[in-house]
Amino acid sequence: MVTVAILATLQAKPEKVKEVSEMLTGAVELAKAEQQTISWYGLQLSETTFAIFDTFEDEAGRQAHLNGQIAAALMAHADELLSEPPKIEQVTILAAK
């Protein structure tokens, strides 16, 4: 069972909601190219709250993702797009189907 994951929560500036949505929509292609990323989801939780949830086989995969292109793009544009720094949590999956 895959037990290693990341949950990142993003608070978009109200005037940047469209840009954050487009960034996440476009990032899926980068995630598909990451061999160690098992699953990747870009989510919209509310009008201005977004999230990324992704899973990995092991800690090495998670660290590769955190040091990869998606994280770099997010951090490069965080001040412009987000009302606060992204909340990036390294989580453990306890159960899955």
Side-chain angles (χ1 to χ4, degrees):
M1 182 176 105
V2 174
T3 60
V4 180
I6 295 171
L7 175 61
T9 308
L10 315 171
Q11 294 295 328
K13 292 179 180 177
E15 68 276 14
K16 297 294 184 175
V17 167
K18 181 180 178 188
E19 288 89 339
V20 173
S21 178
E22 290 171 351
M23 180 183 68
L24 291 179
T25 302
V28 71
E29 293 306 317
L30 294 173
K32 288 178 181 178
E34 295 178 348
Q35 292 184 4
Q36 295 178 309
T37 300
I38 303 302
S39 62
W40 186 95
Y41 302 90
L43 311 167
Q44 186 167 6
L45 305 176
S46 71
E47 185 176 334
T48 59
T49 304
F50 294 83
I52 299 169
F53 180 75
D54 34 15
T55 63
F56 313 90
E57 288 185 2
D58 55 27
E59 185 61 33
R62 176 163 56 190
Q63 291 306 312
H65 179 74
L66 286 170
N67 294 316
Q69 292 181 332
I70 296 171
L74 174 61
M75 297 314 288
H77 298 286
D79 289 343
E80 172 193 346
L81 300 175
L82 306 178
S83 61
E84 61 187 55
K87 182 178 179 184
I88 300 172
E89 301 177 272
Q90 297 183 35
V91 299
T92 301
I93 298 171
L94 300 177
K97 176 181 173 189

